[in-house]
């Protein structure tokens, strides 16, 4: 695997211990072009960066060394981790994103991503459940890498987790409202077990987390409403961890 160095200075001066790397966060760049994205991730004024960037042809750039803390996650939470920059590797995929014309990720781009994730997982012993999207760890602020990102495909390569339910089975439960409060609590507990963080009593937060969950695991309908299909998926994910 060829990696092109294109160094950014946007990282903490302090080195981190290799065993503090626990999570891989996947992003899209959400900008008009690859060039613009590279410039921004390397511009000291932007104060953002990531460890890697993968363009549409699958070319990989290393922007920040793994042992440095890059600035990609921002205020975020996953399981017991808070503000994940210090515990994670950030990978940016070139894609215009929801704002400028969201498109499917390219095959070559995904195949480079898979190669690099496999290496990182092995090197840092990263758990499957800790391979996440930016929206999973910052659901109030972020929607990347978005619903076009093929989490199921990655999970089939042992990158990230996926549920065991058949789509034809699940579909029957779509839009069936959850009325029982206990079911809502079951859903929240399952999501907490998977890693999602939220304040259960805040309605706004709840809707945003449900949306992030749907973007990742139930992309056919992203409405922020908890239905029975979402509950079944969440319980299945949690049970199989
Ligand atoms: Zn992001």
């Amino acid at each position: 695997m060829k990696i092109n160095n294109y160094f950014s200075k946007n990282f903490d001066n302090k080195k981190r211990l290799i065993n503090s790397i626990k999570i891989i966060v996947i992003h899209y760049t959400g900008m008009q072009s690859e060039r613009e994205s590279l410039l921004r991730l390397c511009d000291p004024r932007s104060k953002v960066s990531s460890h890697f960037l993968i363009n549409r042809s699958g070319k990989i750039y290393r922007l920040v060394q793994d042992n440095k803390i890059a600035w990609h996650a921002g205020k975020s939470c996953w399981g017991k981790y808070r503000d994940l920059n210090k515990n994670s590797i950030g990978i940016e995929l070139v894609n215009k994103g929801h704002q400028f014309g969201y498109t499917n990720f390219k095959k070559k781009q995904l195949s480079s991503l898979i190669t690099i994730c496999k290496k990182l997982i092995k090197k840092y012993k990263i758990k499957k459940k800790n391979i996440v999207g930016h929206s999973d760890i910052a659901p109030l602020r972020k929607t990347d890498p978005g619903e076009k990102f093929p989490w199921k495909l990655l999970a089939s390569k042992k990158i990230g987790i996926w549920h065991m339910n058949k789509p034809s089975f699940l579909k029957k439960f779509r839009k069936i409202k959850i009325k029982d409060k206990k079911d809502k609590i079951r859903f929240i507990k399952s999501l907490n077990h998977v890693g999602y963080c939220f304040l259960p009593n805040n309605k706004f937060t709840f809707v945003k987390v449900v949306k992030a969950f749907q973007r990742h695991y139930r992309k056919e309908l992203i409405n922020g409403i908890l239905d029975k299909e979402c509950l079944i998926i969440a319980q299945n994910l949690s049970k199989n961890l």
Side-chain angles (χ1 to χ4, degrees):
M1 180 177 60
K2 190 174 182 289
I3 296 183
N4 304 270
N5 290 323
Y6 197 97
F7 288 127
S8 167
K9 286 183 180 155
N10 297 342
F11 54 79
D12 288 5
N13 280 326
K14 226 180 106 189
K15 272 190 188 175
R16 62 175 168 186
L17 293 173
I18 284 308
N19 64 12
S20 65
I21 300 172
K22 304 284 185 194
I23 298 162
I24 296 175
V25 183
I26 296 168
H27 304 259
Y28 66 44
T29 50
M31 296 190 81
Q32 292 284 12
S33 70
E34 173 186 339
R35 196 184 130 72
E36 208 181 318
S37 308
L38 269 172
L39 286 175
R40 179 156 191 268
L41 292 165
C42 297
D43 179 355
R45 288 167 301 180
S46 78
K47 294 194 163 50
V48 294
S49 59
S50 64
H51 294 92
F52 299 97
L53 176 135
I54 306 175
N55 78 5
R56 310 265 301 156
S57 329
K59 185 172 177 183
I60 303 170
Y61 295 92
R62 184 197 298 281
L63 308 181
V64 174
Q65 301 282 358
D66 294 358
N67 64 355
K68 303 274 196 203
I69 298 174
W71 302 335
H72 61 97
K75 194 171 160 44
S76 50
C77 171
W78 189 249
K80 60 180 177 183
Y81 302 102
R82 299 286 176 282
D83 301 325
L84 303 185
N85 283 339
K86 57 187 180 299
N87 297 109
S88 63
I89 297 269
I91 305 176
E92 289 276 358
L93 301 172
V94 172
N95 191 309
K96 289 184 182 177
H98 294 93
Q99 207 183 339
F100 298 109
Y102 190 33
T103 48
N104 283 325
F105 294 92
K106 291 274 188 193
K107 254 194 172 163
K108 281 187 181 168
Q109 190 176 30
L110 293 169
S111 109
S112 292
L113 175 68
I114 289 166
T115 308
I116 207 166
C117 281
K118 281 188 176 167
K119 287 203 169 201
L120 294 169
I121 290 165
K122 204 170 166 201
K123 194 167 180 189
Y124 303 118
K125 298 186 180 68
I126 294 170
K127 289 183 183 157
K128 273 189 198 175
K129 68 182 252 182
N130 287 344
I131 296 155
V132 295
H134 202 186
S135 57
D136 296 315
I137 61 162
L140 303 190
R141 303 183 294 117
K142 297 292 174 179
T143 55
D144 64 312
E147 61 281 2
K148 291 185 195 289
F149 186 78
W151 289 107
K152 192 178 177 181
L153 169 78
L154 263 77
S156 74
K157 316 269 181 202
K158 298 195 169 72
I159 301 166
I161 60 169
W162 195 251
H163 58 81
M164 307 284 190
N165 301 120
K166 281 207 171 105
S168 55
F169 163 80
L170 283 175
K171 214 182 155 194
K172 290 180 248 173
F173 302 99
R174 193 169 300 160
K175 289 190 187 167
I176 295 182
K177 267 201 168 175
I178 295 293
K179 290 182 193 128
D180 193 345
K181 239 193 158 171
K182 280 187 201 147
D183 277 341
K184 192 177 168 184
I185 292 166
R186 283 188 191 107
F187 176 75
I188 290 170
K189 281 195 170 161
S190 300
L191 254 62
N192 282 155
H193 189 208
V194 169
Y196 289 93
C197 308
F198 49 133
L199 307 161
N201 293 324
N202 181 323
K203 207 175 172 193
F204 169 76
T205 309
F206 183 79
V207 171
K208 291 282 188 178
V209 179
V210 172
K211 272 194 181 173
F213 172 80
Q214 290 170 337
R215 231 178 262 290
H216 191 134
Y217 294 105
R218 209 278 302 272
K219 48 189 90 227
E220 293 80 5
L221 180 63
I222 302 161
N223 58 2
I225 300 168
L226 169 60
D227 61 24
K228 204 162 175 199
E229 184 183 22
C230 293
L231 176 63
I232 293 170
I233 295 171
Q235 288 187 300
N236 190 274
L237 289 169
S238 169
K239 193 178 82 188
N240 292 306
L241 279 178

